[in-house]
Amino acid sequence: MTIGYATFGEAIRRRILVIFLLFAIVSIVGSQIFKAFSPGEEEKFVVDLGLNSIKWFSILIAILLGAVMIPQEIERKTLHTVLAKPVGRGQFILGKFVGTCLAVLFNASLMAIAFFVVYAIQQKGGFDVSLLYQFALTCMELILFISIVVFLSTFSSTVFVLVVSFCVVVLGSTATFWKNIPAENEISGLLFLGVSALAPNFEIFDLSRPILTGAAIAPDMITYPLVYGFMYTSIMLLLSFVIFNERQF
Amino acid sequence: MRVYPEVIGVASESSGGTDTLERPDNLPQDGGQGPVPVVGTDTVIECRGLTKRYRVALGYEIEALSSLDLQVKRGEIFAIVGPNGSGKTTTLKLLLGLIFPSEGDAFILGEPPRSRRAKRRIGFVPEGPFFYQHMNGEEVVRFYGRLCGLRGRDLRARTDELLKLVGMSKRRDVVMSQCSKGMVQRIGLASALVNDPDVVLMDEPTSGLDPIGAHEIKELTVRLRDAGKTVLLCSHLLEQVEEVCDRIAILHRGSRLAYGPIDEILQITDQTELVAINVSEDAARQLAAMSSESHTRAGELHCMIKEDADPFQALDVVRQGGGELLRFGRVRESLEDAFIRAVTASAREDAAISTDAADTGGTADMTGGSDEATAEEGGEEA
């Protein structure tokens, strides 16, 4: 946890993170002004913009933090002094992962508080519990995503991590499309199958449709993504340990 | 001596006149598995045929370290000296388990380099350390203390003690982003010592320090040895190393050129040095004629008597000239001289091998006379 706290302390002092946080909060609060553009669907507009702001700004923060955390330690050789102490390489990776998660979730929580306040004002004191479910799933989605970024950064440079992370976000957010796309030949069929099998499916963390339509949220819509996220994160961390353990600095 | 007044003699103030640093009470004791075995009786660090090759483009390899054998004994200051790129830092990285050997073995406190049991008893001062920029000096030392298992009151006491030792107790609140290079180096030293290590590895410890800072680090290194610690330091600042170390290894292009006690490595030259004062002008002229080099500094006449001249005749000249003899004797070469001698001899050997190979049909690459040839023989492992 010592490495985790240090990572968190370093992360929350980054200026870019504060800028994204401010953008997100301005966007959430601004939804009260822009809802006028969707007459009759003001509530949907506020919820949609609020939830998406939390998710996408948090993902941006996760990419920017995750991409630099480990490569920077290697480049600046801070890693040498840490690994010279009785610290395992796995512990180091876990510390970096936990610290990044804490920083990203801390920011997501601030955004969520801003959103819940705006929503409560919109509803004149009312509150929808399903928004909390959505926030919990967004947190799991962010944790999963951070584990992928950490995995990538155990063997590559910051620029590579940034590029591939964006690709992962795009692939993960369009998982159904890749699964259902008709293949013109065997090779493209295998490619689409591989992409849909390996890339994380971020769509399962999205409850916005039932929330916006007022439909009931079945328990498995919560438990399945949580289990999926936990498993995927565990595999990513395990692979990170294996790769990092063999790296030379 | 206005700067850094805390360092010199600080341990005397804090520990009743001894230089020994107290071991923190709650440091993990090797996981309760008894004392860590060491290689032999007194060997703390051992390298056996330690080789490191790096793969470069197009399948080529370079050999950064070539079959290094060395032993560092308990309680000594051992220095690895050599120019940049000679393999010093590579050796330290191998000993810390940051990189893995292509061939050979390394042991530190009888354990392989990546052993956590050994790391509990190691301190490492890197060259130009870089710490988390948002932390201040005190937080950095506490961070490394926590990594070593120190907590609470013991950690606070240990941090205070070390900040005082390195002369940073009054500047403990300065964040790392605002620290000078010297301050960072001091914090690096304090962080390395936080677990009260038995073995301290230092990579260019005086790099970036002003002369006072460098002198203090040198003094601290000697005090560590006096406190029973073993110090392995790598440096290219030969003069500083010569003053403090007991034994050395000279590395050049990854190969060990010389190894042993510094007194054995530094040869006594054929030249005789004479230093005298109050020498008459006539006597000074005579001495100058007998010397390969002579000059007067602060009233002292310094002469290097020529190898073919009789040094005792020079003594008579001083006496007859009414002078007073301050120093007279054979000159021991400096570490720099020894280093240049070793490198020159190695270069001559290389040249001879290349010439022989050329004479026997241009097979220089097959003889191992060049880095590239040696690397290629190593195969895939890098």
Side-chain angles (χ1 to χ4, degrees):
Chain A
M1 282 312 286
T2 303
I3 295 171
Y5 283 134
T7 306
F8 174 70
E10 191 186 22
I12 57 167
R13 284 172 176 82
R14 286 182 187 269
R15 214 168 287 168
I16 190 79
L17 192 135
V18 179
I19 291 169
F20 278 135
L21 180 64
L22 285 176
F23 265 117
I25 290 174
V26 165
S27 159
I28 290 164
V29 175
S31 64
Q32 282 295 339
I33 300 162
F34 297 115
K35 69 185 180 185
F37 295 118
S38 301
E41 292 191 323
E42 288 91 346
E43 188 193 339
K44 276 185 186 174
F45 183 85
V46 170
V47 171
D48 206 21
L49 187 62
L51 292 178
N52 276 305
S53 296
I54 294 171
K55 178 182 169 176
W56 292 109
F57 278 107
S58 297
I59 280 184
L60 271 177
I61 290 171
I63 291 176
L64 292 173
L65 284 185
V68 295
M69 281 299 169
I70 293 172
Q72 203 172 61
E73 296 257 331
I74 297 169
E75 200 179 302
R76 292 175 172 177
K77 296 178 181 170
T78 319
L79 181 71
H80 291 187
T81 52
V82 173
L83 292 184
K85 298 292 179 199
V87 175
R89 292 185 179 203
Q91 271 178 291
F92 176 80
I93 289 291
L94 200 61
K96 285 281 143 192
F97 170 71
V98 169
T100 311
C101 283
L102 283 175
V104 172
L105 296 184
F106 173 71
N107 279 275
S109 302
L110 293 179
M111 293 176 206
I113 289 167
F115 168 62
F116 293 151
V117 169
V118 168
Y119 184 78
I121 292 168
Q122 159 88 16
Q123 295 297 306
K124 298 188 172 60
F127 190 73
D128 186 353
V129 185
S130 57
L131 292 176
L132 282 178
Y133 296 148
Q134 176 59 75
F135 181 63
L137 290 190
T138 303
C139 289
M140 185 73 246
E141 185 180 0
L142 289 170
I143 290 170
L144 186 161
F145 182 65
I146 292 165
S147 73
I148 296 172
V149 179
V150 166
F151 164 70
L152 292 170
S153 60
T154 53
F155 61 87
S156 53
S157 66
T158 301
V159 177
F160 180 84
V161 178
L162 284 172
V163 172
V164 178
S165 301
F166 274 111
C167 295
V168 168
V169 171
V170 173
L171 289 175
S173 307
T174 52
T176 315
F177 168 78
W178 291 101
K179 211 172 183 176
N180 300 328
I181 191 168
E184 286 181 6
N185 53 46
E186 260 185 41
I187 295 171
S188 59
L190 281 172
L191 185 73
F192 297 146
L193 191 70
V195 167
S196 61
L198 288 177
N201 185 351
F202 290 142
E203 291 178 333
I204 61 170
F205 296 97
D206 187 7
L207 293 178
S208 59
R209 191 166 294 168
I211 290 172
L212 293 174
T213 56
I217 296 172
D220 67 323
M221 291 170 79
I222 309 286
T223 52
Y224 175 69
L226 287 178
V227 172
Y228 174 86
F230 179 76
M231 299 290 283
Y232 208 110
T233 303
S234 304
I235 293 168
M236 282 294 115
L237 288 180
L238 198 66
L239 289 173
S240 306
F241 295 160
V242 171
I243 291 171
F244 202 68
N245 207 37
E246 295 305 314
R247 266 201 79 171
Q248 306 196 56
F249 308 104
Chain B
M1 284 285 183
R2 188 183 64 80
V3 196
Y4 321 131
E6 296 151 297
V7 172
I8 299 173
V10 68
S12 311
E13 290 166 27
S14 60
S15 56
T18 68
D19 281 345
T20 312
L21 296 168
E22 283 176 26
R23 187 178 179 84
D25 293 334
N26 69 342
L27 274 176
Q29 298 294 318
D30 306 323
Q33 295 167 45
V36 176
V38 293
V39 181
T41 47
D42 275 335
T43 306
V44 172
I45 296 170
E46 181 162 29
C47 301
R48 296 180 200 148
L50 201 59
T51 303
K52 181 64 189 172
R53 296 184 202 95
Y54 288 105
R55 193 170 293 148
V56 288
L58 302 170
Y60 285 95
E61 290 180 341
I62 52 163
E63 199 160 60
L65 195 64
S66 179
S67 295
L68 178 69
D69 292 313
L70 65 82
Q71 289 188 331
V72 179
K73 308 281 182 196
R74 189 183 302 281
E76 72 174 351
I77 300 176
F78 188 97
I80 300 177
V81 297
N84 295 334
S86 59
K88 304 184 299 288
T89 304
T90 301
T91 308
L92 281 191
K93 283 182 173 182
L94 285 163
L95 288 170
L96 289 166
L98 295 170
I99 55 175
F100 315 131
S102 307
E103 278 171 33
D105 294 302
F107 298 96
I108 188 157
L109 292 157
E111 299 271 345
R114 287 178 77 174
S115 150
R116 264 197 255 179
R117 286 216 304 172
K119 281 185 180 172
R120 286 196 187 102
R121 299 168 62 192
I122 296 173
F124 172 53
V125 185
E127 181 185 7
F130 191 95
F131 299 112
Y132 295 115
Q133 296 295 287
H134 66 279
M135 291 184 182
N136 61 36
E138 182 178 1
E139 287 166 342
V140 169
V141 179
R142 288 165 69 96
F143 169 74
Y144 285 97
R146 275 192 218 100
L147 290 183
C148 296
L150 284 171
R151 295 286 185 274
R153 202 178 299 161
D154 294 308
L155 177 58
R156 270 199 300 277
R158 184 71 182 156
T159 306
D160 289 345
E161 184 187 4
L162 286 168
L163 288 173
K164 206 173 169 191
L165 183 79
V166 298
M168 285 293 290
S169 59
K170 285 177 187 160
R171 291 169 289 175
R172 59 172 65 204
D173 295 329
V174 182
V175 288
M176 297 315 289
S177 55
Q178 288 168 12
C179 279
S180 68
K181 219 171 172 183
M183 288 161 79
V184 174
Q185 193 74 15
R186 285 158 191 275
I187 292 296
L189 191 60
S191 306
L193 298 176
V194 74
N195 54 333
D196 189 27
D198 294 328
V199 182
V200 184
L201 308 178
M202 297 177 165
D203 192 6
E204 307 283 3
T206 55
S207 159
L209 291 181
D210 57 33
I212 297 170
H215 176 75
E216 286 169 359
I217 297 286
K218 233 162 36 184
E219 284 212 335
L220 188 62
T221 309
V222 173
R223 276 165 51 188
L224 286 171
R225 177 188 55 194
D226 295 346
K229 318 281 183 201
T230 307
V231 180
L232 170 62
L233 67 91
C234 292
S235 181
H236 66 274
L237 301 173
L238 305 176
E239 202 179 309
Q240 287 176 6
V241 167
E242 188 181 344
E243 287 173 31
V244 296
C245 67
D246 303 304
R247 293 196 308 136
I248 60 165
I250 297 178
L251 293 190
H252 182 59
R253 293 165 74 185
S255 298
R256 197 188 77 186
L257 299 185
Y259 170 65
I262 190 141
D263 292 336
E264 286 178 17
I265 286 178
L266 304 184
Q267 292 179 355
I268 305 292
T269 64
D270 291 332
Q271 284 196 309
T272 304
E273 186 190 24
L274 181 150
V275 182
I277 51 171
N278 303 328
V279 181
S280 67
E281 272 183 32
D282 186 41
R285 260 197 305 277
Q286 284 183 55
L287 286 169
M290 297 169 75
S291 307
S292 58
E293 186 190 326
S294 81
H295 63 269
T296 305
R297 193 169 55 206
E300 293 178 354
L301 176 68
H302 293 249
C303 298
M304 297 295 276
I305 308 298
K306 283 178 188 165
E307 285 173 28
D308 56 354
D310 180 3
F312 294 101
Q313 195 186 338
L315 265 185
D316 291 340
V317 172
V318 172
R319 278 196 207 105
Q320 286 159 11
E324 193 181 326
L325 190 68
L326 294 182
R327 195 159 66 238
F328 178 73
R330 284 285 171 88
V331 178
R332 194 175 78 159
E333 68 178 347
S334 67
L335 184 54
E336 191 178 338
D337 294 333
F339 176 73
I340 291 167
R341 179 168 49 79
V343 171
T344 313
S346 163
R348 254 188 239 127
E349 245 173 63
D350 283 353
I353 291 168
S354 300
T355 312
D356 287 350
D359 289 347
T360 54
T363 54
D365 284 351
M366 303 297 286
T367 60
S370 69
D371 282 351
E372 289 77 10
T374 320
E376 278 170 15
E377 284 162 20
E380 283 300 303
E381 193 186 357

